Amino acid sequence: MSDYVSIHGQWSSRLTFILAATGAAVGLGNVWKFPYLVGENGGGAFVLVYIASIALIGVPVMIAEVMIGRRGRQSPINTLRDLAVEAKSNCRWQFAGVLGIVAGLIITSYYSVIAGWTMAYAVRMVGGVFTGVTKDGAESIFAFLVEDPERMLAWHTLFILMTVAVISRGVRSGLEQAVKILMPALLLLLLALVVYAAVNGDFVQGLRFMFAIDFDALTTGGVLTAMGHAFFTLSLGAGAIMVYGSYLPSDVPIARTVVAIATFDTVIALLAGLAVFPLVFANGLTPGSGPGLIFLSLPIAFGHMPWGGLFGTLFFLLLLFAAWTSSIALLEPMVAWMVENRRVLRARAAGWVGFLAWLLGVVSILSFGPWSFEFDFAGEVRHNGVYDLLDILSSSIILPIGGLAVAVFAGWVLPKTMVEDELGGGAGLGFRLWYVAVRTIAPIALLLILLRAVGVI
């Protein structure tokens, strides 16, 4: 194994890395996007395909990212360049790292806008704004928020400052301390909300909806959506897991650790569904209502339930914590690269990267107002201009390309002896299964995800 240590430091333990990588993976995709995708795609059959995709696509690519990161001990750009040279391949592989860093910056910029909504909604929940709210009232509250650029700018700025404050303190004092607090808090909040949903919602209907398998309700498009979300939800292809892997101690087994991370991520996504759907069904709302499920349907549910203000506040704090841990991870690769290549202090690098994310986020904010325009992409009409373009570019195009590059690099470019040296157990069944998956199954699946995303299939 590589004996090098990253100049940025390293995690203090395997558990800390699991918390950090789970925090990177557990984002709005788990708590916000997963429930409404389940609702739109028929429930249990979608969940089954999603779990299978985690095992066949997500875990192999995540193992590859962590392995590459630990072997290189640098930012994704420098790691891919140096390992390509070591493997006597083309140093242009570093551009896969560039793509990942750009995707992380773009995603954080609009993640921050959505995180701003969660903070605004938490405050409104505390203030009782949603008590007894009607459907028209909930729509009016949301429209009032997104159509006020100054209000959204204030929340967006606060979130970026929160993210920069953590990253600027480094691996041990910043990232590690943050995940040690935020991840247990996130899990406790989620469990409390599941208990609340079980007591006050239609929990049996929620269970039936999520786990009753009806393949007639699942289309081919739904299968590809489940595959794509399984990849997206683990934060793969953006360099975050790779740079976190570069801080991993050499004696930590990568494969078992990644399986633990993927398991936690999946469990949290399922718990989020169990926290959401019982409340939706108990209030006669529609589970397949798209992104509005969280910001329109759930506030109505909380507004008509006992202790709804308190648990609604906890729910939006949960969303905030999920967005925060992910944004920290998504900006870390660019900060690490600036420290390595521009020889600047971490705090200054974090400030510059945060400013770029903030500036790009301003464009997203204006996309909900004066800069909005409609366009058609892959047969679907988008209404929010640059915001939607950034979302498509990063999550639908760059991330699958980045994941495909990681799989090909690990499976076909790096010498097998190097991979065995870093992962260990080259003769074992587990290693052989992973090697087949990362060389064949994952690349084919990621290519299908990319073609689906751009409307080719």
Side-chain angles (χ1 to χ4, degrees), residues 316-333:
F316 285 104
L317 284 177
L318 168 69
L319 279 175
L320 173 61
F321 289 172
W324 196 4
T325 54
S326 290
S327 295
I328 291 167
L330 288 168
L331 290 188
E332 174 65 16

Side-chain angles (χ1 to χ4, degrees), residues 153-402:
L153 179 63
W155 290 117
H156 165 61
T157 302
L158 176 59
F159 183 79
I160 290 293
L161 289 173
M162 290 164 54
T163 303
V164 169
V166 173
I167 299 174
S168 64
R169 294 176 59 84
V171 176
R172 284 287 181 93
S173 300
L175 278 64
E176 183 166 315
Q177 294 306 313
V179 298
K180 282 183 176 179
I181 296 171
L182 292 175
M183 287 310 297
L186 186 151
L187 184 58
L188 287 174
L189 286 174
L190 185 54
L191 291 174
L193 286 162
V194 171
V195 172
Y196 177 77
V199 173
N200 295 283
D202 191 343
F203 200 69
V204 173
Q205 179 65 12
L207 281 173
R208 186 180 299 118
F209 179 76
M210 283 196 66
F211 298 112
I213 298 173
D214 179 11
F215 284 106
D216 291 335
L218 185 65
T219 64
T220 302
V223 171
L224 292 171
T225 299
M227 291 166 56
H229 188 66
F231 174 77
F232 177 81
T233 192
L234 291 175
S235 292
L236 301 174
I241 297 300
M242 191 180 296
V243 80
Y244 273 16
S246 72
Y247 308 148
L248 184 65
S250 298
D251 59 347
V252 173
I254 290 176
R256 292 205 305 270
T257 303
V258 166
V259 169
I261 294 165
T263 300
F264 287 144
D265 178 81
T266 305
V267 167
I268 288 173
L270 295 177
L271 287 175
L274 293 178
V276 168
F277 290 123
L279 304 182
V280 169
F281 288 121
N283 289 272
L285 302 171
T286 304
S289 55
L293 176 66
I294 300 302
F295 292 102
L296 296 176
S297 299
L298 275 184
I300 298 173
F302 284 121
H304 290 81
M305 302 182 74
W307 300 93
L310 171 61
F311 283 92
T313 303
L314 295 180
F315 178 79
F316 285 104
L317 284 177
L318 168 69
L319 279 175
L320 173 61
F321 289 172
W324 196 4
T325 54
S326 290
S327 295
I328 291 167
L330 288 168
L331 290 188
E332 174 65 16
M334 182 173 281
V335 171
W337 179 83
M338 287 188 69
V339 172
E340 293 166 4
N341 290 65
R342 296 293 178 244
R343 299 293 189 264
V344 297
L345 295 176
R346 170 173 276 268
R348 179 172 294 183
W352 278 111
V353 173
F355 174 72
L356 290 175
W358 177 86
L359 197 61
L360 201 54
V362 172
V363 178
S364 290
I365 289 171
L366 294 174
S367 298
F368 290 93
W371 290 4
S372 65
F373 59 85
E374 290 187 355
F375 65 94
D376 184 278
F377 180 80
E380 181 181 351
V381 178
R382 304 294 186 107
H383 303 279
N384 297 314
V386 177
Y387 172 89
D388 284 329
L389 286 174
L390 292 175
D391 180 28
I392 292 168
L393 177 63
S394 57
S395 61
S396 298
I397 298 176
I398 296 180
L399 289 188
I401 291 174

